[in-house]
Amino acid sequence: MRISPAIGMSLLVLFMGTSGVLGSEKRQTSSSQASAQPSLLSEFRFGFSAQDPWGPEGQNGSANLTGEILFSKPFTASDLFTSYFIPRPHVGGSLNFDGRTSFAYAGLSWTVDVTPDIFVEGSFGGAFHNGKDHPLAHRQELGCSPLFRESGSVGVRLSANWSVMATVEHLSNGGTCSDENRGLTNVGARVGYSF
């Protein structure tokens, strides 16, 4: 049995995030202790999304399992406003339950606090998908792989560690490899755990 790269990446993302959550130590209460032990991982997210609800892949309600790991910012800024311009690198994957397009992605995410409990986030990067390798009638014609990937989220922090968010993501070739450029748009909800 051959596992596609997108499915393999999705499983890897889920495994890495789960082992990080299960193996994480209790948070340090002192800010000096926390800064003395920087972490590579910032947050793990998992959830579900509707696959292209307005397009051919979304017919009959196709759904995805999603997972994402966000890494810590490469450096910090002295003030809050400047820190919003420093992105967090991320990797993730989306596994479709109905054998339609699955993908793995990587990029950068910018998170901005609207209030202490509400935040918005935008991300940009690239994605590899399995749609080109499996040309079936119920898959969206995406043109090539890799694709550009953009996403936007609105989230609520439930506690210091847990958050929930609504997310819209779009994959497209940006007209770089094909005249067909409708893309793939997914809408979903995720739960996040911050380390």
Side-chain angles (χ1 to χ4, degrees):
M1 179 175 145
R2 183 175 171 253
I3 297 177
S4 73
I7 293 172
M9 179 59 134
S10 298
L11 294 173
L12 177 63
V13 166
L14 289 173
F15 173 75
M16 288 175 55
T18 305
S19 64
V21 169
L22 296 176
S24 65
E25 298 179 8
K26 292 183 179 177
R27 288 188 163 261
Q28 302 287 339
T29 55
S30 166
S31 62
S32 63
Q33 290 174 328
S35 63
Q37 297 179 351
S39 173
L40 176 64
L41 298 179
S42 174
E43 188 175 354
F44 172 69
R45 296 173 176 173
F46 60 94
F48 297 95
S49 65
Q51 178 95 342
D52 203 29
W54 303 282
E57 290 215 12
Q59 294 174 357
N60 304 319
S62 185
N64 306 315
L65 173 66
T66 65
E68 182 175 272
I69 295 174
L70 286 97
F71 298 95
S72 298
K73 293 182 177 186
F75 56 92
T76 57
S78 58
D79 65 289
L80 183 62
F81 180 75
T82 305
S83 72
Y84 290 147
F85 294 97
I86 303 170
R88 292 184 290 171
H90 66 256
V91 295
S94 179
L95 176 64
N96 184 268
F97 292 126
D98 300 317
R100 298 182 183 180
T101 303
S102 296
F103 55 91
Y105 60 88
L108 301 172
S109 295
W110 291 264
T111 307
V112 176
D113 295 329
V114 177
T115 71
D117 296 328
I118 298 173
F119 62 92
V120 294
E121 184 175 275
S123 67
F124 181 77
F128 289 92
H129 63 90
N130 65 354
K132 185 178 180 183
D133 296 332
H134 302 85
L136 301 173
H138 61 274
R139 289 185 189 234
Q140 178 67 30
E141 185 175 347
L142 299 173
C144 60
S145 187
L147 299 173
F148 296 107
R149 178 186 175 272
E150 312 85 38
S151 73
S153 299
V154 176
V156 176
R157 290 187 181 89
L158 305 175
S159 69
N161 299 97
W162 292 98
S163 61
V164 294
M165 64 210 75
T167 301
V168 175
E169 65 183 348
H170 180 73
L171 283 74
S172 169
N173 66 43
T176 58
C177 63
S178 171
D179 292 336
E180 289 294 328
N181 189 33
R182 184 189 171 280
L184 183 69
T185 302
N186 300 333
V187 179
R190 300 184 292 173
V191 174
Y193 180 83
S194 297
F195 298 99

